[in-house]
Amino acid sequence: MSITVTQICRYPVKGLNAEPLAHVSLAPGEGLPHDRRLAIAHGAVRFDRDAPQWLPKTDFFMLMRDEKLALLRARFDPEASKLTIERAGRPVVSADPTQLLGRTLLSEFFSGFLAGATRGAPKLLEAAGHMFSDSPKKLVSIINLASVRDLERVVRRPVDPLRFRANLYIDGAEPWQEAAWSGATLRIGDAALRVEAPIGRCAATNVDPQTGERDLNIPRALQAGFGHARMGVYATVTEGGGLAVGDAVALATEPLAD
């Protein structure tokens, strides 16, 4: 059975929902365009839009501690430069996050929604070309759906793959086959990606992305079932190009030897 891409997702606002994409164009050394371009930071965090620097995830509101973020839906239109936030299916705020006024309006909404923050009122951060990722490097995350199904066997209930907030979801591989891909190059569509390392999982995966309920302990289940707390792999784009849902995933070079 061939390995194919079944879903492509970007997450315009760090900690908020996925936006599915039919296709995407990748550039060397970059993540998906507009992936994690925006983030909701604690009020005390300092950030220079003109000289953006990587910040640790503890500087931001995130599902690991703020599960109610799963109740919101974000839609980002990069052409119109507009971010729309919905709650219960209804738009509650829409503004241009690249402008001070727009960021102020959006920050005011998050301040109300996340009332009681202990490190200052939430503020929305944005910088063109910047990626508010958990890693200092700009990476693409990949989830093998066969591994998720194997986890379902352990927890004895469905596990929404979106808990893992990946960019590319693939199917057709053996369970955990991706764990041996470190150092290998994957050819997907016109792009090439070098697999860097497996992804360790935190408590953010415990939150149901649809309901906002903290209803599973994914790291503990992974540790109990497989002796580790990893799911998926990070990859670096080494050759730019387009890729689309349905594209084949080919192992272009062999993984590094242990």
Side-chain angles (χ1 to χ4, degrees):
M1 183 176 179
S2 61
I3 306 173
T4 59
V5 176
T6 62
Q7 192 172 17
I8 303 170
C9 291
R10 71 180 178 199
Y11 304 80
V13 183
K14 183 180 182 70
L16 295 189
N17 60 290
E19 278 190 335
L21 304 170
H23 54 81
V24 68
S25 182
L26 300 179
E30 298 291 327
L32 268 65
H34 310 295
D35 187 42
R36 277 85 171 182
R37 176 172 172 176
L38 307 151
I40 311 162
H42 294 281
V45 170
R46 294 185 177 182
F47 180 74
D48 185 349
R49 292 184 72 239
D50 296 324
Q53 298 292 321
W54 178 80
L55 296 170
K57 65 181 180 181
T58 51
D59 283 349
F60 305 101
F61 288 85
M62 52 186 172
L63 287 174
M64 186 169 71
R65 290 184 313 223
D66 311 289
E67 63 268 24
K68 67 185 299 185
L69 290 173
L71 301 177
L72 301 177
R73 293 292 177 267
R75 289 186 291 108
F76 182 58
D77 183 343
E79 284 72 32
S81 194
K82 180 175 287 187
L83 175 66
T84 301
I85 304 296
E86 299 178 353
R87 185 178 185 184
R90 297 170 53 186
V92 289
V93 64
S94 185
D96 182 352
T98 69
Q99 301 298 316
L100 177 59
L101 176 59
R103 292 194 300 277
T104 300
L105 291 172
L106 291 159
S107 296
E108 287 177 351
F109 166 75
F110 288 119
S111 292
F113 183 74
L114 297 165
T118 58
R119 293 176 59 191
K123 58 184 178 184
L124 188 74
L125 303 185
E126 182 274 344
H130 188 67
M131 185 176 178
F132 293 99
S133 59
D134 287 351
S135 167
K137 295 180 64 176
K138 294 181 178 180
L139 301 169
V140 173
S141 55
I142 303 172
I143 284 288
N144 175 8
L145 293 178
S147 300
V148 177
R149 289 192 290 270
D150 203 27
L151 176 60
E152 290 179 327
R153 176 183 59 81
V154 170
V155 300
R156 299 183 181 181
R157 57 174 289 182
V159 175
D160 189 337
L162 289 176
R163 285 179 186 261
F164 302 103
R165 305 179 62 74
N167 298 125
L168 304 180
Y169 294 85
I170 63 173
D171 210 357
E174 294 296 320
W176 310 108
Q177 184 177 345
E178 73 282 9
W181 285 351
S182 292
T185 294
L186 304 178
R187 176 69 65 176
I188 311 175
D190 296 324
L193 300 91
R194 182 182 65 246
V195 178
E196 301 291 349
I199 305 172
R201 293 300 172 176
C202 68
T205 56
N206 297 343
V207 180
D208 187 308
Q210 305 305 322
T211 66
E213 295 180 8
R214 201 176 290 271
D215 59 352
L216 284 173
N217 191 323
I218 295 293
R220 186 171 64 187
L222 286 167
Q223 192 67 50
F226 309 104
H228 61 76
R230 300 182 292 275
M231 177 67 77
V233 292
Y234 281 130
T236 299
V237 179
T238 55
E239 293 181 32
L243 63 86
V245 170
D247 279 350
V249 179
L251 200 64
T253 63
E254 292 301 313
L256 296 173
D258 290 337

